[in-house]
Amino acid sequence: MIYRDNYFRKELRQAYTENRTSKRRKISSALFLGLFSFALFFVLQTIQESVLADIVPQILQPSFFSTITIYIHIAFIFNTVFFIFYYDYLFFAEIRRNSWYLLIQMGYRPIIMLFSKLSALLYSVFLVYSGGFLFTIFLTIFLKYTLILAYMPTLYLAGLTDIFLISILALTFSLYTQTVVNARYWIFLSAILILILKITLRQYNILSNRVSMQNLYNLFDLSLSPYMAVGFGIMVICCLTCLIRAKNLAKYYSLNSSQFSLPANAAVIYLDSKTGKQILVGNRKSPLWHSKIIATTTTVFLIVFICAALVFNVFVILINTSTPGQEVSIRGVIPFVFRSATMEPEIRLNDLAYFQKIDNQYPVAEGDIILFREDNLVYVERVIEKTGKRLTVDIDKYPPMSQPGAMLKTVPREYVQGIYVGRNRWLGALILFANTIIGRLLLLLVPAILLFYHAQIYGYFKKDKSKG
Amino acid sequence: MMNLPEHVVFMEKVQSVEHIVHQGKEPQRVLKEISLLIRRGQVWGFNGSSRLEVKLLLEIIANIRPYNSGRCVLIERGMPQHKRIILNHVFYIGSSEMMYNNMNVLEFLMFVTAKSKINKVELQEQIFEFLIDSGLGHISLTSNNLLTQEEKAVILLTAAAYSNSLIIVFNLPEYEFDEILVPAIAKIAAWISQKGKTIILGTTDCLLIEKACSHTGILFNGKIIYADTVEDFRQKFDKVEVIVSDKNIIAMMDILAILLPDHKLSIKNNRLMISRSGSAESDPGMIYQMITSFGWIPERLEVNPKTVQNAYEELIQQHDL
């Protein structure tokens, strides 16, 4: 085999030693993204009847719109993670490693390398994103939802813009950051910045609206959202910055990789013979306190996360064991996942409702929502009338086709076990998710894996720091 | 190559900007009054008591770091004001990180030499054969990320050999090259030298200097204490003439001290070293005859091959005193 590589082909290969492997990786990434988004759509369907239905209805509807919306977000997250992991291969870190110095000495032109790198990166993300997009559509066809082509180009373009934006931002940051660790932080922050921009510039208002997404021009309508204009502006500025900065950096040999080997108690300084001023040079290792902060933060984060996940699991188990007649009380409060719409809008379907445990002396007033037990069954209803030791209760909302007043009843005061004090919609959704197979696996497996591999995780951060 | 300048590096009383500070001591200038002349086609190896001194000297030569005072001229053109700027005539290798990890050795060399006008098929054959000749055939198809930093450095040197740079500075005194890589460097250095280019190695490996270099420069306490040919260095400073091995080495030393009053005797690694004292010439054959005339045959007697290592130790010892 004769090797006829050029710089563009090398860039297309990314982190892999063979072009063929890289091509396969791109195809498999696209398929994985499509499949993962499709699977996530089904997982989200299990918590459809929760607060999510009000907050993000666009990802819970039985339509192509939902699967594709999930896909464009998953593709964005995947690319961010991919950039963080393969930073060394994808961006301009090679200039600081003097790889360009070598190539320039061998006759390569920096400007050609710059454009090759940029175009190879954008081409790769475009390929993976487009492949995944088509695969998601293909998978959704099996669900026999109505295919509305009108919003496909708009969704496609919205997702692609985000990915191009993060790619170009990461490329630009790689020219300014000295260490790999800092560059990774910057990529992560860029992703957050893009999400914030989308929210503040009302881009999500367009994305979540199926009607407005049917018109491609709405994406570019400045009166609706200036996000696309701002995004393109940032991309142009970043490309120009890359052009100037990369060309400038490529003129010099970088001393980053050149370290003096010194005894432990020695340092190299520049000494100004006139002023006597001393400047420390070379071996600028991060101070000990800096490493300690990183180590402590990582450890504390891991401990807090593992503990929180374990506590949450215990909480979910307790709530699940709460059966009629054996309600679990935590510090005098009975948490109760409300799996009914009978008390809407006060308590909505799958909300986590809290009932304060009360004794027979507690004054129950008209209008209170109470938890009571009758014939070994637990009911939640509102007090509409109070007559001596007897309470007349009814539900707030009767389901369609049911007879109003069917649940109206009078119960003795001593049946009352708790009084409604509040609810948490998000916790309700989380418990709902925790009770699905995927949720159970995630919430139990993740802390377990973190607990088992905490040393390796800590080691990874430590290694990156030393590399940086 | 006919019109190329003869003097590729000329340094006159160059002093470094950098000072080294040891805890509780006054700062000392790292390089002091360095004067040096390196000619075209020579292979220089710099060694010294401190890696820092060697590294810094070669960085100044390659225009990577500035110097405080003195004069430094590269290929008779002077030295640019801008430091670290890429110079076509100087190829600097200061670490092995510049190598791409996502390709194998042969592919990497083909990639970096892609701008060469040689036919690609011929070029690949040429590179492949060169790797085999240099003893690097076993890693020619190995992925770069599996190589040691020393192996990577040698591959980078091979790449540099294909460049048009007149001076190649291989500044890796912190690397330790094994018995496979030292001959490979020697082979590459010889090839570079044949093309009329100059190669300057920074190393603490005396064997590398012995095998690969025509000239050597020794640094001690920031100053150059020797700068001339390797051959001269070995002959001048490795004064051991004969090495004798025997069970009764101590008794033998007492007897030989009487027989060879003009020689210095010492025991090193259970071996008796017989050195000439002063600058007087000595004949190993005569020493052998003296020993055998006494009627005593040692277990092993060898003529010292004169190594750079011994010469270096002797030179450093002289200056350390």
Side-chain angles (χ1 to χ4, degrees):
Chain A
M1 179 187 174
I2 302 295
Y3 296 109
R4 294 170 189 273
D5 270 344
N6 61 35
Y7 192 81
F8 183 74
R9 283 186 68 186
K10 179 204 79 88
E11 283 301 313
L12 279 184
R13 178 187 294 185
Q14 297 185 329
Y16 298 89
T17 46
E18 285 185 37
N19 294 330
R20 198 173 41 185
T21 317
S22 176
K23 273 179 205 158
R24 280 185 193 155
R25 201 275 305 161
K26 285 188 182 90
I27 295 166
S28 55
S29 294
L31 297 181
F32 167 77
L33 283 176
L35 206 59
F36 186 77
S37 306
F38 195 62
L40 189 62
F41 172 74
F42 281 108
V43 172
L44 289 171
Q45 288 295 304
T46 60
I47 49 171
Q48 194 183 23
E49 290 174 333
S50 70
V51 63
L52 291 178
D54 298 335
I55 307 294
V56 278
Q58 68 270 25
I59 60 169
L60 295 172
Q61 292 153 355
S63 70
F64 277 89
F65 191 83
S66 291
T67 52
I68 295 168
T69 304
I70 291 169
Y71 170 74
I72 62 175
H73 286 89
I74 291 296
F76 180 73
I77 294 166
F78 169 84
N79 274 286
T80 306
V81 174
F82 182 72
F83 293 165
I84 288 172
F85 269 90
Y86 292 103
Y87 170 81
D88 269 357
Y89 294 94
L90 302 174
F91 304 109
F92 286 121
E94 60 182 292
I95 301 182
R96 293 204 183 276
R97 282 199 314 268
N98 293 312
S99 299
W100 277 29
Y101 171 87
L102 169 77
L103 296 181
I104 291 165
Q105 287 285 17
M106 302 303 288
Y108 280 83
R109 290 178 61 200
I111 198 80
I112 304 285
M113 289 195 283
L114 172 75
F115 281 113
S116 299
K117 193 162 196 80
L118 182 67
S119 44
L121 177 67
L122 295 183
Y123 173 72
S124 297
V125 294
F126 165 79
L127 212 65
V128 174
Y129 174 78
S130 305
F133 191 89
L134 291 173
F135 191 57
T136 309
I137 294 173
F138 172 73
L139 289 174
T140 316
I141 288 170
F142 291 103
L143 298 179
K144 295 182 179 173
Y145 295 151
T146 313
L147 180 64
I148 302 168
L149 287 171
Y151 53 62
M152 297 291 179
T154 324
L155 278 170
Y156 176 79
L157 194 65
L160 192 63
T161 308
D162 291 346
I163 293 173
F164 275 6
L165 188 56
I166 182 96
S167 309
I168 293 171
L169 275 173
L171 208 58
T172 312
F173 288 138
S174 69
L175 287 167
Y176 288 91
T177 42
Q178 301 273 343
T179 64
V180 175
V181 177
N182 286 348
R184 287 177 171 155
Y185 286 141
W186 275 112
I187 295 173
F188 179 72
L189 286 174
S190 307
I192 302 287
L193 177 80
I194 290 169
L195 291 177
I196 292 171
L197 263 182
K198 286 176 82 165
I199 295 165
T200 52
L201 299 179
R202 304 184 304 277
Q203 168 82 344
Y204 271 117
N205 294 352
I206 306 173
L207 285 181
S208 55
N209 188 332
R210 279 210 288 183
V211 179
S212 65
M213 285 298 276
Q214 291 185 22
N215 185 354
L216 183 66
Y217 297 107
N218 282 342
L219 270 186
F220 301 96
D221 188 342
L222 292 176
S223 63
L224 291 173
S225 167
Y227 175 78
M228 291 301 264
V230 172
F232 281 118
I234 292 172
M235 281 194 256
V236 171
I237 291 167
C238 284
C239 284
L240 288 173
T241 311
C242 283
L243 182 71
I244 297 162
R245 177 79 177 166
K247 217 177 151 197
N248 192 36
L249 272 182
K251 282 182 193 167
Y252 297 94
Y253 181 88
S254 171
L255 271 174
N256 274 12
S257 54
S258 178
Q259 297 281 317
F260 293 130
S261 47
L262 292 170
N265 60 346
V268 177
I269 55 161
Y270 283 143
L271 184 67
D272 191 318
S273 50
K274 287 173 190 166
T275 60
K277 195 179 169 187
Q278 298 183 357
I279 305 163
L280 190 69
V281 286
N283 286 13
R284 287 180 196 163
K285 285 178 185 166
S286 33
L288 202 60
W289 62 266
H290 197 227
S291 303
K292 274 186 180 171
I293 286 178
I294 297 281
T296 314
T297 313
T298 314
T299 313
V300 167
F301 175 77
L302 277 176
I303 291 168
V304 168
F305 185 82
I306 292 168
C307 290
L310 291 175
V311 167
F312 183 74
N313 271 299
V314 172
F315 181 64
V316 171
I317 291 164
L318 276 176
I319 289 170
N320 287 339
T321 55
S322 180
T323 53
Q326 286 180 322
E327 291 80 22
V328 176
S329 154
I330 302 167
R331 295 181 68 86
V333 174
I334 304 165
F336 196 86
V337 178
F338 202 75
R339 295 197 172 94
S340 159
T342 53
M343 293 309 290
E344 283 187 353
E346 185 80 45
I347 309 171
R348 302 183 76 167
L349 181 66
N350 288 319
D351 283 359
L352 180 70
Y354 307 115
F355 293 87
Q356 193 189 332
K357 206 168 184 179
I358 55 170
D359 56 19
N360 285 338
Q361 305 305 314
Y362 188 90
V364 177
E366 285 178 12
D368 284 346
I369 298 173
I370 56 165
L371 177 86
F372 63 95
R373 193 173 61 200
E374 189 181 40
D375 300 333
N376 220 16
L377 287 174
V378 173
Y379 296 93
V380 174
E381 293 190 29
R382 191 184 291 278
V383 178
I384 53 171
E385 198 182 339
K386 189 180 169 192
T387 320
K389 290 279 181 188
R390 297 189 74 81
L391 305 167
T392 307
V393 295
D394 197 3
I395 58 172
D396 284 358
K397 185 185 173 187
Y398 279 90
M401 312 295 288
S402 63
Q403 189 186 353
M407 293 300 289
L408 182 74
K409 60 177 83 171
T410 305
V411 290
R413 169 64 182 82
E414 60 267 26
Y415 281 17
V416 179
Q417 293 194 328
I419 188 161
Y420 172 72
V421 284
R423 62 167 184 178
N424 191 314
R425 304 204 68 203
W426 284 101
L427 217 47
L430 203 57
I431 290 167
L432 195 65
F433 174 66
N435 283 322
T436 63
I437 294 168
I438 300 288
R440 182 64 74 222
L441 278 173
L442 266 178
L443 289 167
L444 277 175
L445 267 185
V446 170
I449 289 169
L450 284 178
L451 204 61
F452 197 74
Y453 289 107
H454 72 279
Q456 282 85 344
I457 295 167
Y458 175 69
Y460 175 78
F461 279 100
K462 209 174 165 186
K463 185 185 76 184
D464 260 8
K465 196 69 210 164
S466 60
K467 200 176 171 186
Chain B
M1 289 286 171
M2 291 300 287
N3 297 325
L4 292 175
E6 188 60 28
H7 296 172
V8 291
V9 179
F10 172 71
M11 293 179 105
E12 192 179 25
K13 292 187 175 176
V14 168
Q15 303 218 80
S16 68
V17 184
E18 290 81 2
H19 289 66
I20 186 160
V21 194
H22 288 97
Q23 216 163 19
K25 290 183 181 173
E26 282 294 301
Q28 293 285 318
R29 198 180 288 281
V30 179
L31 296 174
K32 301 156 202 162
E33 299 199 333
I34 303 286
S35 295
L36 191 67
L37 177 65
I38 296 175
R39 293 173 196 276
R40 184 162 62 86
Q42 292 179 342
V43 181
W44 278 77
F46 283 91
N47 194 357
S49 52
S50 148
R51 285 174 185 171
L52 169 67
E53 291 168 8
V54 176
K55 188 102 186 167
L56 194 58
L57 174 66
L58 267 63
E59 283 182 346
I60 291 173
I61 290 175
N63 192 45
I64 300 295
R65 286 194 196 264
Y67 52 92
N68 185 54
S69 60
R71 193 164 152 241
C72 186
V73 180
L74 285 183
I75 56 164
E76 298 174 5
R77 287 187 203 168
M79 196 72 134
Q81 288 286 319
H82 283 95
K83 292 300 154 191
R84 299 193 291 110
I85 199 155
I86 296 176
L87 303 171
N88 288 333
H89 50 275
V90 182
F91 197 115
Y92 181 74
I93 302 168
S95 85
S96 57
E97 282 184 8
M98 56 170 73
M99 200 157 181
Y100 287 107
N101 282 332
N102 56 351
M103 44 184 83
N104 68 38
V105 169
L106 185 58
E107 195 180 8
F108 171 75
L109 289 172
M110 283 300 289
F111 172 61
V112 295
T113 55
K115 300 292 169 191
S116 138
K117 291 190 173 83
I118 309 169
N119 176 280
K120 294 288 171 274
V121 180
E122 284 174 25
L123 182 67
Q124 182 163 310
E125 273 179 23
Q126 192 186 331
I127 293 173
F128 195 47
E129 278 170 21
F130 183 72
L131 286 173
I132 292 167
D133 286 350
S134 310
L136 299 172
H138 64 292
I139 57 164
S140 59
L141 294 175
T142 305
S143 179
N144 291 351
N145 62 342
L146 300 173
L147 301 179
T148 62
Q149 57 177 9
E150 284 81 8
E151 285 170 336
K152 284 182 183 178
V154 177
I155 299 304
L156 286 169
L157 185 64
T158 311
Y162 281 92
S163 73
N164 293 322
S165 303
L166 294 176
I167 309 169
I168 293 163
V169 181
F170 189 72
N171 191 10
L172 300 164
E174 64 274 25
Y175 285 20
E176 289 172 5
F177 297 98
D178 59 24
E179 65 279 6
I180 295 171
L181 296 176
V182 168
I185 296 173
K187 184 95 183 171
I188 301 162
W191 188 50
I192 291 169
S193 175
Q194 267 173 26
K195 294 204 282 185
K197 296 177 184 178
T198 305
I199 173 164
I200 304 168
L201 309 175
T203 181
T204 48
D205 186 349
C206 288
L207 185 66
L208 178 61
I209 294 176
E210 191 170 305
K211 298 280 181 194
C213 302
S214 62
H215 290 69
T216 185
I218 308 296
L219 289 150
F220 184 77
N221 282 346
K223 289 184 175 177
I224 285 200
I225 54 173
Y226 180 87
D228 209 333
T229 62
V230 172
E231 187 56 32
D232 183 56
F233 182 60
R234 285 162 57 202
Q235 296 301 332
K236 206 168 169 182
F237 293 99
D238 187 358
K239 291 176 180 172
V240 177
E241 296 291 337
V242 174
I243 302 166
V244 185
S245 307
D246 200 273
K247 281 176 199 161
N248 304 315
I249 203 81
I250 295 173
M252 190 182 286
M253 189 169 134
D254 294 339
I255 297 161
L256 288 176
I258 302 160
L259 288 172
L260 302 165
D262 299 336
H263 288 76
K264 195 176 134 191
L265 305 176
S266 60
I267 294 175
K268 196 175 171 185
N269 299 330
N270 279 328
R271 297 191 309 166
L272 179 63
M273 307 283 174
I274 304 172
S275 317
R276 66 179 190 265
S277 52
S279 57
E281 287 295 315
S282 178
D283 179 12
M286 185 272 291
I287 296 170
Y288 179 71
Q289 276 179 1
M290 291 283 276
I291 295 170
T292 49
S293 65
F294 191 69
W296 175 59
I297 308 293
E299 284 171 8
R300 186 183 166 88
L301 189 140
E302 59 183 302
V303 176
N304 180 29
K306 303 276 182 190
T307 63
V308 170
Q309 180 67 41
N310 288 343
Y312 175 76
E313 282 171 12
E314 176 67 26
L315 180 65
I316 293 293
Q317 204 176 20
Q318 281 178 20
H319 280 78
D320 222 4
L321 291 170

